[in-house]
Amino acid sequence: MSELKRNMIIDCDTGTDDAVAVLGLLLADNIDVIGITSVHGNLSVEEAVQNNLSLVNLVGMDVPVYAGCPNSLTSGLFPGRLQNTLCQTIRKEYNGEPVRIHEPSLGLPTGGRTVEKEHAVSYLVRTLREAEEPIDVCAVGPLTNIACALTMAPDIAGKIGTLYIMGGGIYIGNRTPVGEANFVDDAEAAAKVLLSGANLLIGPIEGNEAGSTYTLQDVEEIEAIGTETAKFVGALIRRFMWRCDYLWKPGFDLPPYTVDPGTSCCIHDWAAVAPAIDPLTATDIRKEVCRVDCSGGMADGQMVIDRRGYYLEPNASIVYDMDEKRCKNLLKSLLAKK
Ligand code: RIB
Ligand code: CA
C-alpha cells in the first residue's frame, strides 16, 4: 500500500450505479482497490462478476474479482415473505419483455480476465485477518457476503477501517414503500452487519439523492469529458434514466433510451462511496441507533432509526446531506483521467 493510498475492498452487485462507484474508486489517487467481491442483488452474482471484470479491464488494472453469495441468507425459506415484497415492487414490460432497472451486461469486454477461484467470503476473512493495517470496505449491494464474513470471523469487524454502505432509507424506501433494495434483498444480513461493531458510514436514499441526482445536463457534461470512462458512464446513465422513468414515472411513454430532457435519476452507489475518496462530500453525518426490520411484514428490510435517546448506543453514522457540486465534480475529475 503506497503511503498516500488506503487499501479498499469493494463488495457490489454490479449493475448500473455500482459500475460508476467501482470506476470512481479504481481511478481515485488515494485509494488502492485490492479486490472486488461480487454479490447477488441487481443481477445474478455471475452477471455481477462479468461486469466487474469488464470494469477493471476498461481501466487496464489487474484487480482480482471474486464471486460471492448467489442469494440471501434466508432465500427460499419464507415464500410468503418474498411474495409480500414482490407484490410491493413495481414491475413493467416493454414489447412483452420485462424492463429491469439494471441491464444484465454493461456491454464491455472483459479482456480475457477471469474470476478468482477463492470464494469472496473466504477472501474477505483471509485478507482482513492478514492485514497489518485496517482495510476500508465499500459495500453497495445486499450485505450477504459481508454478513457471512462477519459471522465466520467476528474479529474482522475490528480490521475494517470504515465500512461504507449504500443502504436503507431515513424516511422512504425504493424497493418497497419503506424498504431500500439492498436491505430488502437480505434484511438479516443488513441487520447482522449493523450490529457487528464495525465502523459504519451508511449512505441512505435521501443522503445519496442530495449528492448524486443526475440530470441530462450532468450527463452531457460527463460525455463532454471525452475519455473512454466518461463516454461509457454518460451512455450508462442515459440508459438508466430511461429505465427509471419507464418503471417509475406515471404516463412516461418515450421509446427506449429516448430521455425526457426534464428527467433525473440518483446514482446511489457513487454517492455512498464518494466520502471514502473525499470526506467533505458528506456535509451532514449523524451517529444514530440503527436497526433493520426482519419481521417479514410490509416493512421487511426497513432501516429503523431509534431517536428516543434511551440507553442504546449509536451503532452507525448516517449521511443525511451531501455537497452536490463537490460530489459531481469529484466524479468528473476522476473520469477525466482515463
Ligand atoms: O437502492 C439502491 C441500491 O440497490 C443500489 O446499490 C443499487 O445498485 C441497488 O443495488
Ligand atoms: Ca448496488
Side-chain angles (χ1 to χ4, degrees), residues 34 49 56 89 102 104 118 131 154 179 186 216 233-234 242 274 276 283 292 332:
I34 60 172
V49 162
V56 295
T89 302
H102 295 272
E118 185 176 18
D186 197 337
L216 197 51
V233 166
W242 181 84
T283 56
V292 178
K332 287 193 284 189

Side-chain angles (χ1 to χ4, degrees), residues 11-18 42 102 139-142 166 182 269:
D11 188 74
C12 46
D13 58 335
T14 301
T16 304
D17 55 336
D18 308 71
N42 292 324
H102 295 272
V140 292
M166 191 281 130
N182 289 333
D269 291 344

Side-chain angles (χ1 to χ4, degrees), residues 1-7 29-30 32:
M1 181 172 96
S2 81
E3 58 185 352
L4 295 178
K5 286 192 173 226
R6 295 187 345 263
N7 282 350
D29 289 333
N30 59 344
D32 187 3

Side-chain angles (χ1 to χ4, degrees), residues 193-245:
V193 171
L194 264 58
L195 292 173
S196 66
N199 176 37
L200 307 176
L201 182 64
I202 298 176
I205 292 171
E206 297 88 345
N208 300 336
E209 287 177 341
S212 188
T213 296
Y214 278 76
T215 64
L216 197 51
Q217 181 185 333
D218 292 321
V219 169
E220 288 163 353
E221 287 176 13
I222 288 175
E223 290 170 330
I225 295 169
T227 58
E228 285 309 302
T229 58
K231 287 185 288 189
F232 165 72
V233 166
L236 188 73
I237 297 178
R238 274 181 189 273
R239 298 197 301 273
F240 189 55
M241 282 176 163
W242 181 84
R243 292 197 300 275
C244 290
D245 282 353

Side-chain angles (χ1 to χ4, degrees), residues 117-319:
K117 290 185 172 40
E118 185 176 18
H119 191 282
V121 177
S122 304
Y123 165 76
L124 284 162
V125 172
R126 175 177 60 80
T127 306
L128 287 164
R129 276 187 161 164
E130 290 171 355
E132 291 177 6
E133 296 289 327
I135 295 175
D136 286 344
V137 178
C138 283
V140 292
L143 290 167
T144 313
N145 289 343
I146 308 296
C148 285
L150 286 163
T151 302
M152 271 174 76
D155 54 288
I156 64 173
K159 301 298 287 294
I160 298 173
T162 299
L163 175 52
Y164 300 87
I165 293 171
M166 191 281 130
I170 298 167
Y171 308 105
I172 58 171
N174 53 19
R175 176 66 60 77
T176 69
V178 293
E180 178 279 324
N182 289 333
F183 282 15
V184 169
D185 276 353
D186 197 337
E188 279 78 3
K192 282 185 79 87
V193 171
L194 264 58
L195 292 173
S196 66
N199 176 37
L200 307 176
L201 182 64
I202 298 176
I205 292 171
E206 297 88 345
N208 300 336
E209 287 177 341
S212 188
T213 296
Y214 278 76
T215 64
L216 197 51
Q217 181 185 333
D218 292 321
V219 169
E220 288 163 353
E221 287 176 13
I222 288 175
E223 290 170 330
I225 295 169
T227 58
E228 285 309 302
T229 58
K231 287 185 288 189
F232 165 72
V233 166
L236 188 73
I237 297 178
R238 274 181 189 273
R239 298 197 301 273
F240 189 55
M241 282 176 163
W242 181 84
R243 292 197 300 275
C244 290
D245 282 353
Y246 187 76
L247 283 171
W248 299 328
K249 192 181 278 184
F252 178 85
D253 63 356
L254 292 177
Y257 307 124
T258 307
V259 176
D260 172 353
T263 193
S264 65
C265 67
C266 182
I267 308 298
H268 282 286
D269 291 344
W270 164 244
V273 308
I277 302 167
D278 175 1
L280 296 179
T281 53
T283 56
D284 179 359
I285 298 176
R286 304 178 198 177
K287 289 187 83 59
E288 310 231 58
V289 176
C290 202
R291 299 290 186 270
V292 178
D293 176 12
C294 300
S295 56
M298 277 194 74
D300 198 37
Q302 180 178 9
M303 180 168 80
V304 179
I305 297 173
D306 186 343
R307 299 183 180 90
R308 293 174 296 175
Y310 288 177
Y311 55 93
L312 293 174
E313 279 303 307
N315 58 306
S317 294
I318 314 282
V319 176

Side-chain angles (χ1 to χ4, degrees), residues 27-163:
L27 292 167
D29 289 333
N30 59 344
I31 300 281
D32 187 3
V33 178
I34 60 172
I36 300 176
T37 53
S38 315
V39 69
H40 71 92
N42 292 324
L43 304 169
S44 68
V45 68
E46 293 81 9
E47 289 165 328
V49 162
Q50 291 306 309
N51 287 332
N52 285 328
L53 290 169
S54 71
L55 290 170
V56 295
N57 184 58
L58 178 66
V59 294
M61 295 181 184
D62 289 324
V63 177
V65 172
Y66 298 84
C69 299
N71 48 46
S72 71
L73 299 181
T74 62
S75 175
L77 300 184
F78 312 112
R81 176 177 182 183
L82 174 63
Q83 190 51 42
N84 166 56
T85 304
L86 291 178
C87 75
Q88 298 184 74
T89 302
I90 296 164
R91 308 160 84 79
K92 281 175 76 173
E93 293 186 349
Y94 187 87
N95 280 351
E97 289 297 315
V99 174
R100 295 168 62 175
I101 197 64
H102 295 272
E103 297 162 320
S105 169
L106 296 176
L108 294 169
T110 57
R113 284 169 166 77
T114 55
V115 67
E116 301 297 312
K117 290 185 172 40
E118 185 176 18
H119 191 282
V121 177
S122 304
Y123 165 76
L124 284 162
V125 172
R126 175 177 60 80
T127 306
L128 287 164
R129 276 187 161 164
E130 290 171 355
E132 291 177 6
E133 296 289 327
I135 295 175
D136 286 344
V137 178
C138 283
V140 292
L143 290 167
T144 313
N145 289 343
I146 308 296
C148 285
L150 286 163
T151 302
M152 271 174 76
D155 54 288
I156 64 173
K159 301 298 287 294
I160 298 173
T162 299
L163 175 52

